[in-house]
């Protein structure tokens, strides 16, 4: 008998217990967060909202305060998520955490999913035209084959 399944998604549960969703403030990522929130509520899973702060090596030479800007984006995302959670308090009970990682979006989400022991990863579809040629973060996550990945339009 040969080993057919090299990857193990099952962690002894009937559904995902930790759902990672990548957010960057784009409309598609916010739709992905809403979808992931509903899934987390139905599955009684932990929703790990992840923002990957870009690291732009050339920006320091140009004098651009990139770290400050990405910190502001992260703070704004946390505020938006908290506001949505407060509005739905009593209607939807979702356990959630906010995490930030630094790096490129794909690498940051892989690191987050590994460290948080994700059972599922949810991302918004890319809104950039160039990704149709080069490949989006979502496509790269699917090709990695390490977690079930849902792409929200």
């Amino acid at each position: 008998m040969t080993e057919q399944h090299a990857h193990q998604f099952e962690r002894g549960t009937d559904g995902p217990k930790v759902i990672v969703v990548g957010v960057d403030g784009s409309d598609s990522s916010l739709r992905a967060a809403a979808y992931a929130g509903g899934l987390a509520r139905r599955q009684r899973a932990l929703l790990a909202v992840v923002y990957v702060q870009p690291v732009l090596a050339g920006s320091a030479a140009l004098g651009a305060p990139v770290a400050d800007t990405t910190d502001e984006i992260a703070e704004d995302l946390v505020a938006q998520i908290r506001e949505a959670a407060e509005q739905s308090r009593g209607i939807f009970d979702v356990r959630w955490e906010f995490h930030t990682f630094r790096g490129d979006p794909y690498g940051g989400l892989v690191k987050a999913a590994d460290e948080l022991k994700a059972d599922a990863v949810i991302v918004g579809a890319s809104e950039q035209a160039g990704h149709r040629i080069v490949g989006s973060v979502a496509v790269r996550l699917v090709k990695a084959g390490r977690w079930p990945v849902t792409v929200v339009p």
Side-chain angles (χ1 to χ4, degrees):
M1 193 170 210
T2 62
E3 181 74 26
Q4 292 181 346
H5 301 288
H7 301 288
Q8 293 183 342
F9 293 114
E10 184 68 34
R11 296 192 196 276
T13 64
D14 291 332
K17 291 298 176 193
V18 177
I19 299 169
V20 167
V21 60
V23 296
D24 61 7
S26 67
D27 288 344
S28 67
S29 78
L30 296 177
R31 286 191 298 271
Y35 176 88
L39 182 60
R41 177 184 54 82
R42 290 187 297 278
Q43 295 290 328
R44 294 187 175 92
L46 172 65
L47 177 62
V49 180
V50 175
Y51 170 62
V52 180
Q53 293 180 294
V55 176
L56 305 173
S59 63
L62 299 174
V66 174
D68 292 343
T69 302
T70 58
D71 286 344
E72 288 173 21
I73 292 169
E75 289 170 18
D76 185 50
L77 288 170
V78 171
Q80 287 180 40
I81 294 163
R82 282 208 172 101
E83 181 181 329
E86 287 299 320
Q87 289 175 354
S88 63
R89 190 174 301 279
I91 301 169
F92 302 116
D93 248 347
V94 177
R95 293 180 304 123
W96 64 276
E97 303 171 348
F98 185 81
H99 300 271
T100 59
F101 289 82
R102 291 191 187 273
D104 69 284
Y106 170 77
L109 285 173
V110 166
K111 183 176 180 180
D114 284 345
E115 287 185 14
L116 300 169
K117 296 184 178 11
D119 296 302
V121 178
I122 301 182
V123 293
S126 176
E127 296 178 349
Q128 297 180 6
H131 286 169
R132 292 186 193 117
I133 300 164
V134 178
S136 67
V137 170
V139 169
R140 292 174 67 194
L141 288 167
V142 169
K143 286 182 177 180
R146 294 167 61 184
W147 321 268
V149 177
T150 302
V151 182
V152 176

